[in-house]
């Protein structure tokens, strides 16, 4: 009987959607939608920081209503190269954000993912690379975790998600 109850409990627990965002009902948003304005169909300006962000993680494409496809993970060196190539492709200055810049996107009232999902839909609830290397260990760099709004350092050879940023210009 105990085995049957345990098996049922495990099955029920596994059937819940673990990727659904959870937010505080009465919390004060840290990244309200009003802080963002459209630059292009696939990028938004975060007005408090004057930074333009790609709406989708690298590997995903904006389809007009959401980010489609699978986000791709890169090593830190690959992420830096990817940003360089994106910048050369359209000459807009895309780059890997530093830890403070990426942390400015964290929605502290939410988890799984800890980001404004109206502005940045389908964001993987996981680590994202920053350009900030560890001051103590040359083999590690900072990541921001959009699972729970934390940040930490990871080995540069690990595979982690990427979201590119650029400085806003009034062209």
């Amino acid at each position: 009987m105990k085995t049957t109850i345990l098996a049922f409990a495990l099955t029920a627990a596994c059937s819940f959607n673990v990727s659904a965002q959870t937010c505080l009902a009465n919390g004060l948003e840290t990244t309200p939608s009003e802080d963002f304005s459209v630059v292009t169909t696939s990028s938004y300006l975060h007005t408090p920081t004057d930074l333009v962000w790609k709406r989708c993680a690298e590997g995903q494409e904006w389809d007009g209503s959401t980010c489609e496809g699978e986000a791709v993970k890169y090593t830190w060196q690959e992420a830096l190269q990817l940003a360089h190539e994106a910048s050369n492709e359209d000459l807009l200055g895309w780059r890997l954000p530093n830890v403070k810049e990426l942390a400015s996107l964290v929605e502290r009232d939410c988890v799984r993912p800890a980001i404004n999902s109206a502005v940045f839909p389908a964001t993987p609830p996981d680590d994202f690379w920053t350009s900030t290397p560890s001051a103590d260990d040359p083999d590690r760099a900072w990541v921001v975790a959009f699972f729970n709004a934390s940040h930490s350092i990871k080995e540069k050879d690990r595979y982690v998600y990427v979201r590119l940023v650029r400085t806003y210009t009034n062209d």
Side-chain angles (χ1 to χ4, degrees):
M1 178 70 171
K2 286 183 181 179
T3 305
T4 304
I5 292 172
L6 178 62
F8 175 76
L10 287 174
T11 303
C14 292
S15 67
F16 288 105
N17 185 357
V18 293
S19 65
Q21 185 180 51
T22 304
C23 299
L24 294 174
N26 298 321
L28 181 63
E29 291 178 303
T30 58
T31 58
S33 294
E34 302 82 51
D35 284 356
F36 296 90
S37 59
V38 174
V39 175
T40 68
T41 56
S42 61
S43 65
Y44 263 71
L45 170 66
H46 184 228
T47 53
T49 60
D50 262 353
L51 294 173
V52 176
W53 294 92
K54 288 197 175 184
R55 291 192 79 175
C56 302
E58 290 303 302
Q60 295 176 314
E61 292 290 326
W62 180 251
D63 73 359
S65 61
T66 192
C67 295
E68 285 289 325
E70 290 292 319
V72 176
K73 293 182 176 185
Y74 300 88
T75 66
W76 190 70
Q77 196 62 48
E78 290 171 343
L80 292 171
Q81 183 63 34
L82 177 77
H84 180 74
E85 290 168 5
S87 181
N88 284 343
E89 185 176 303
D90 64 13
L91 302 177
L92 291 175
W94 293 108
R95 59 187 169 76
L96 201 57
N98 67 45
V99 68
K100 288 182 179 182
E101 290 170 335
L102 191 55
S104 74
L105 289 187
V106 168
E107 177 51 60
R108 299 201 180 280
D109 275 357
C110 300
V111 295
R112 287 179 254 131
I115 196 167
N116 182 325
S117 60
V119 177
F120 302 102
T123 295
D126 206 341
D127 293 334
F128 278 71
W129 280 124
T130 75
S131 63
T132 309
S134 167
D136 299 327
D137 185 347
D139 295 326
R140 298 171 65 155
W142 284 91
V143 298
V144 173
F146 285 98
F147 176 79
N148 63 0
S150 65
H151 21 312
S152 62
I153 55 172
K154 301 281 183 185
E155 292 79 14
K156 291 178 180 178
D157 61 354
R158 294 187 72 179
Y159 287 87
V160 175
Y161 293 112
V162 173
R163 184 180 309 274
L164 298 181
V165 68
R166 66 180 178 86
T167 304
Y168 180 67
T169 56
N170 251 345
D171 296 354

